[in-house]
Amino acid sequence: MEQSPQWFKSSYSASPQNECVECAMNVPQVVLVRDSKIPGGPVVGLTHSSWTAFTDAVCAGALHQRPS
């Protein structure tokens, strides 16, 4: 039986522009990520180790925002 993703947004996603992503971590062997403004749009699937590496880099400040 296929498991339906249970999407959630970060508690830090309360920006006035509502720009954030949603994640689903309840699907076996993958973390799903999508744009919260386009719930029917594309979904990116990441391995748990890739997701952990990404979130660790964000927390460490290793990723930089592009200049406007």
Side-chain angles (χ1 to χ4, degrees), residues 16-63:
Q17 295 82 16
N18 201 24
E19 298 171 351
C20 61
V21 297
E22 293 178 312
C23 301
M25 302 179 86
N26 68 307
V27 179
Q29 300 180 0
V30 69
V31 175
L32 301 176
V33 182
R34 70 180 181 185
D35 185 334
S36 65
K37 296 180 303 299
I38 312 170
V43 174
V44 175
L46 303 166
T47 64
H48 287 275
S49 61
S50 294
W51 178 252
T52 300
F54 170 70
T55 56
D56 287 350
V58 169
C59 291
L63 305 177

Side-chain angles (χ1 to χ4, degrees), residues 5-20:
Q6 294 177 350
W7 296 100
F8 69 93
K9 286 193 254 184
S10 167
S11 59
Y12 293 99
S13 65
S15 75
Q17 295 82 16
N18 201 24
E19 298 171 351
C20 61

